[in-house]
Amino acid sequence: MPFALSDGRRIHYQVEGEGPPLLLHHGFTSSLEAWRFFGFASALRERYQVIMFDALGHGLSDKPHDTAAYSQPQRCRDALAVLDALGIARAHFFGYSLGGWVGYGLVRHAPERLASLILGAAHPYEDRSWDGFAGIDGRDPEQFISTFETLLNEAISPQVKMLIRGNDLVALAAAAQQPRPSQEDLLARMALPCLLFCGDADARHGAVQRTAALLAQGEFVSLPGVTHFGGLMQSELVLPPVMDFLARRR
């Protein structure tokens, strides 16, 4: 299995398909397998070189128990390490939730590596909801899940709870305690093509829609009846606008 080294830590990645490179970054508590399970990889690999990786703390990547290891600059370096391992100078970037937060970070730290941005359920405004993880060490899975439900303002299905319990929750609790300050200063600098989407049953919907309206080349897609977790599960709703957006960049 291929790994990229990022500041001495292993980042697991996999590649499928051929064409313009497209880097995919999953959400918190997920893994690269989500892109396969929900049908994204099979559709996108027909036209693109699809690069999927397990974010630090997830999947088969290393799982430090130190909050400092999960800073936004570090997560950006992890993403770039995967591109560097493949010899790719510039790629389209598709990030969901946590992945969207990393996408904003790449605008700040490595804009020259981005061809376009697709950001799901992620905005650049201060997010204090993550403060709820203060004092949560991940040793109690039910406490971790309850805190995450409060953060999202939605119930997590039994199936997703089972997947969450399979993670190293001590590592994820450490990661969750990274602060999410405002990045509104990036809005004026985001001149590249950007597609933002969010479910209208997601508490972040209004902020994501507002963000898209402020971008020079921003587009927004609202997913009717879709929650935060549902945003990556509903590929039949997400893929058509994503494929159209990418096709116009070729």
Side-chain angles (χ1 to χ4, degrees):
M1 290 180 289
F3 290 88
L5 276 180
S6 177
D7 293 347
R9 300 187 184 96
R10 300 185 313 157
I11 304 297
H12 173 239
Y13 69 91
Q14 296 184 21
V15 182
E16 296 183 6
E18 296 181 359
L22 171 62
L23 184 63
L24 306 183
H25 193 309
H26 62 77
F28 185 62
T29 74
S30 189
S31 76
L32 67 78
E33 292 298 339
W35 299 108
R36 290 200 182 97
F37 187 79
F38 296 116
F40 287 90
S42 59
L44 292 167
R45 71 188 180 199
E46 297 298 319
R47 300 182 183 180
Y48 302 93
Q49 181 187 24
V50 176
I51 306 157
M52 305 168 284
F53 71 101
D54 290 325
L56 192 69
H58 300 74
L60 298 179
S61 292
D62 284 349
K63 302 172 181 65
H65 290 176
D66 177 12
T67 295
Y70 298 101
S71 68
Q72 190 183 52
Q74 180 62 60
R75 289 206 179 277
C76 290
R77 289 196 293 273
D78 296 344
L80 296 176
V82 173
L83 293 182
D84 291 343
L86 294 167
I88 295 172
R90 195 163 174 256
H92 300 287
F93 181 87
F94 181 176
Y96 190 79
S97 192
L98 168 64
W101 183 63
V102 176
Y104 287 111
L106 289 169
V107 172
R108 184 181 304 282
H109 299 291
E112 73 283 356
R113 306 296 295 271
L114 299 171
S116 71
L117 275 176
I118 302 169
L119 306 176
H123 61 72
Y125 306 106
E126 182 182 35
D127 187 353
R128 298 299 300 272
S129 64
W130 293 89
D131 293 353
F133 271 99
I136 305 295
D137 63 10
R139 300 184 191 281
D140 182 343
E142 301 313 310
Q143 181 190 45
F144 180 97
I145 290 170
S146 175
T147 302
F148 198 23
E149 287 181 316
T150 300
L151 184 156
L152 295 174
N153 194 30
E154 69 180 72
I156 297 175
S157 71
Q159 294 86 351
V160 173
K161 286 182 181 180
M162 181 180 67
L163 295 174
I164 291 175
R165 291 188 189 98
N167 285 285
D168 180 338
L169 296 185
V170 176
L172 293 189
Q177 294 179 52
Q178 265 293 331
R180 300 280 185 98
S182 172
Q183 303 179 88
E184 291 177 67
D185 64 297
L186 292 175
L187 294 172
R189 296 159 51 182
M190 292 175 67
L192 75 169
C194 299
L195 173 66
L196 277 63
F197 68 90
C198 193
D200 66 7
D202 185 334
R204 290 150 180 76
H205 183 270
V208 177
Q209 184 175 29
R210 183 166 68 252
T211 300
L214 295 172
L215 298 178
Q217 296 191 70
E219 303 176 29
F220 178 71
V221 173
S222 180
L223 308 177
V226 173
T227 64
H228 188 82
F229 264 106
L232 202 61
M233 297 177 179
Q234 304 289 339
S235 60
E236 72 279 5
L237 296 178
V238 177
L239 273 170
V242 165
M243 297 292 278
D244 175 68
F245 174 81
L246 289 171
R248 287 183 278 123
R249 311 277 85 77
R250 290 179 71 100

